[in-house]
Amino acid sequence: MEKQLHLNLLASRPPMAGGLQSGSKMRMGPGRKRDFSPLPWSQYFQTMEDVEVENENGKDIFRIYCSGSHGPVLLLLHGGGHSALSWAVFTAVICSRINCRVVAMDLRAHGDTKVKNPEDLSADTMAKDIGKVVEALYGENPPPIMIIGHSMGGAIAVHTAAANHIPSLLGLCVIDVVEGTAMDALNSMQNFLRSRPKTFKSLENAIEWSVKSGQIRNIESARVSMGGQVKKWEEPISSPGVSNSIGEGIIEEEEEEEPEEESNNKRMKEDDQEIKKESVFTWRVELSKTEKYWEGWFRGLSALFLTCPVPKLLLLAGVDRLDKDLTIGQMQGKFQMQVLPQCGHAVHEDAPEKVADALATFMVRHKFTEFKEGYLC
C-alpha cells in the first residue's frame, strides 16, 4: 500500500487510505456548487520575473515568483509536473509567520520556464540550474538561503546542497520524498501516468479534477496551482482522440434536483457544445518521457541528505515512509523530522499552515530568523 502512495513522487495522486480515492464521488448536498475558477498568482506573491541564465547554447529563462523584502531567502522547488504556483498559498502563510523572502521557481521544462534543452532533466543539470539562478539573482554574495523542495524538487534540493551550488546555504527542508519508497514506486509510475485524463475542456475542469480525484485536497491551492500544471492544447480541437478524453477523470456532482439519467444526458449535450466552442487543456509536462532520469533523482538520496552539513528538516505525510538509512539517521539526531497526518502527497498544498508552522519553528529554533511582531506561534 505504501508503494502505491509513493507513485506520487513524480505527480501527485490520491492516497489509497483515508480521504478520497480515485473514482469516488463527493456529496455536497442538494444544489450546492463549489467554485473551481482559477485564482491569480498576484494574490499570493508580490512579484513575478524571468531570470536569464547563460549556458553553452545561449540563454535559458527561468520564471520566478517572489515575496518579502528582508530576512533569509526561502528557495522553493516544486515536484515533478507541478510549478512554482504550488507554493502560492504556503508563501502567503509563511510570510505572515516569520521575517523572510520567498523565491519560488519553475524548474526546467516546467511552468513558464524556457530552456534550450528541456529534455535534459538530470539531477546534475537541474541542481546546476538552481546555482545559476541564485547567482543571477544575487551575484557573488548571496544572502542566507534555506532551500525547500517537495518530491522531485526535494531530491533536486538535496543534490543542490550536496554539490555546494549555494555557498550561503542555511538549511535544507525536504517534503515527502524518501529514497526507498521512491525507488520502489518507479516500476508502477507509467501505469499511474496513463491512468490520468489526457485533456480537460477548461482550466476550471482541470481544477475540479485535481480536487475531486484527491491530487490536491485544498481547493484554494488547486485554484492557483493547476494553471502551472496544464496548458492550452496546441493542436486543432478536431484532432483524433481529443474529444474522447476531455471528460475523463471528472467526478460529477450528485444533484438532487433532477433524475440522474436526465441530468447525465443534459451534461453530455452541454459538454458537446462546449467542446466545439472552447480550447482544451493538456499537461504542460509529459512526465512519461522523463523516465530515464527518475532513478538518478532518487538513488543514493538518503545518504546525500544525511551528509549535507547544514541543519535539516524532513516533513512527511506518513512515518512509514522512512527507509533504513533515514531511520538510523533520525535516531542519531542527524535531522529533524515531523509527520503531518491527514495530508496527501502534496503536503504543502494540502496543509500550508501546518507546513509553514513546522518550517517557521525550525528556522527560529536555529536562529535563522525571528517570528514577526504580533504573531503568536
Side-chain angles (χ1 to χ4, degrees):
M1 183 177 290
E2 287 307 312
K3 290 182 182 180
Q4 291 296 317
L5 279 165
H6 280 273
L7 297 179
N8 297 5
L9 289 167
L10 304 177
S12 298
R13 66 167 292 168
M16 300 301 292
L20 285 172
Q21 295 186 23
S22 183
S24 66
K25 288 192 176 184
M26 297 178 62
R27 290 190 68 99
M28 299 292 297
R32 192 165 153 205
K33 293 285 189 180
R34 287 187 296 174
D35 185 1
F36 295 108
S37 61
L39 293 170
W41 66 265
S42 55
Q43 192 168 316
Y44 303 92
F45 297 100
Q46 292 175 344
T47 63
M48 173 186 73
E49 62 179 289
D50 291 325
V51 178
E52 288 190 357
V53 169
E54 295 285 348
N55 64 29
E56 310 82 57
N57 304 318
K59 291 182 178 179
D60 290 335
I61 300 175
F62 290 87
R63 170 66 54 86
I64 65 170
Y65 300 84
C66 305
S67 282
S69 58
H70 66 283
V73 171
L74 309 184
L75 182 59
L76 310 180
L77 309 182
H78 60 78
H82 289 249
S83 79
L85 296 178
S86 70
W87 297 101
V89 180
F90 165 82
T91 293
V93 177
I94 194 67
C95 287
S96 72
R97 300 283 199 269
I98 56 174
N99 295 315
C100 66
R101 289 172 278 178
V102 166
V103 175
M105 64 180 283
D106 286 345
L107 300 174
R108 64 169 42 230
H110 288 73
D112 288 308
T113 283
K114 310 294 181 189
V115 296
K116 297 294 183 182
N117 186 13
E119 287 76 32
D120 182 5
L121 291 179
S122 66
D124 182 59
T125 297
M126 296 178 82
K128 287 178 180 175
D129 287 342
I130 310 304
K132 289 177 182 177
V133 168
V134 168
E135 185 179 6
L137 285 172
Y138 304 112
E140 295 181 359
N141 296 301
I145 294 174
M146 173 99 183
I147 189 168
I148 303 159
H150 168 248
S151 195
M152 177 197 77
I156 301 308
V158 172
H159 284 279
T160 302
N164 198 30
H165 289 311
I166 301 177
S168 61
L169 191 65
L170 270 182
L172 171 64
C173 175
V174 173
I175 301 177
D176 214 40
V177 56
V178 169
E179 176 185 351
T181 42
M183 294 301 297
D184 289 345
L186 294 185
N187 292 332
S188 306
M189 193 60 210
Q190 290 287 9
N191 287 335
F192 164 64
L193 293 174
R194 281 192 289 269
S195 75
R196 300 192 305 177
K198 293 178 177 60
T199 58
F200 302 95
K201 63 185 179 183
S202 65
L203 181 51
E204 288 83 353
N205 187 238
I207 293 167
E208 182 178 4
W209 173 83
S210 74
V211 174
K212 292 185 177 182
S213 69
Q215 180 186 223
I216 303 171
R217 299 185 183 186
N218 181 336
I219 189 169
E220 180 185 6
S221 190
R223 290 173 65 193
V224 65
S225 72
M226 276 304 288
Q229 288 195 57
V230 298
K231 62 182 179 180
K232 277 192 177 181
W233 186 271
E234 294 176 356
E235 296 181 24
I237 292 178
S238 58
S239 293
V242 174
S243 60
N244 291 337
S245 57
I246 285 180
E248 290 177 17
I250 293 300
I251 305 124
E252 297 287 0
E253 299 277 2
E254 291 193 11
E255 300 287 345
E256 301 289 339
E257 291 87 348
E258 52 190 339
E260 186 174 347
E261 185 176 349
E262 179 184 340
S263 176
N264 285 340
N265 290 336
K266 181 180 178 182
R267 281 194 204 98
M268 287 174 64
K269 290 177 182 178
E270 289 174 350
D271 287 349
D272 287 343
Q273 291 172 359
E274 288 178 16
I275 291 165
K276 293 173 185 175
K277 292 188 295 182
E278 300 177 10
S279 301
V280 296
F281 286 73
T282 188
W283 301 103
R284 287 178 182 256
V285 184
E286 291 189 65
L287 285 172
S288 60
K289 294 183 178 179
T290 67
E291 182 174 10
K292 63 182 177 180
Y293 298 114
W294 296 350
E295 188 170 326
W297 295 343
F298 303 119
R299 186 169 297 283
L301 190 64
S302 293
L304 271 184
F305 176 74
L306 291 170
T307 56
C308 291
V310 295
K312 296 174 285 293
L313 175 63
L314 178 62
L315 299 179
L316 299 175
V319 69
D320 36 12
R321 283 157 159 74
L322 282 185
D323 56 25
K324 181 180 177 182
D325 287 347
L326 289 181
T327 299
I328 295 172
Q330 205 256 336
M331 292 172 66
Q332 294 173 338
K334 291 186 176 179
F335 63 93
Q336 181 181 330
M337 184 186 78
Q338 188 164 338
V339 177
L340 302 175
Q342 299 166 342
C343 294
H345 177 52
V347 182
H348 60 302
E349 293 203 63
D350 293 350
E353 296 205 353
K354 290 181 181 178
V355 173
D357 288 342
L359 186 66
T361 301
F362 176 83
M363 293 187 69
V364 171
R365 179 181 298 133
H366 286 280
K367 302 189 184 330
F368 295 160
T369 186
E370 305 83 31
F371 286 113
K372 284 202 166 179
E373 187 176 347
Y375 171 67
L376 299 176
C377 59

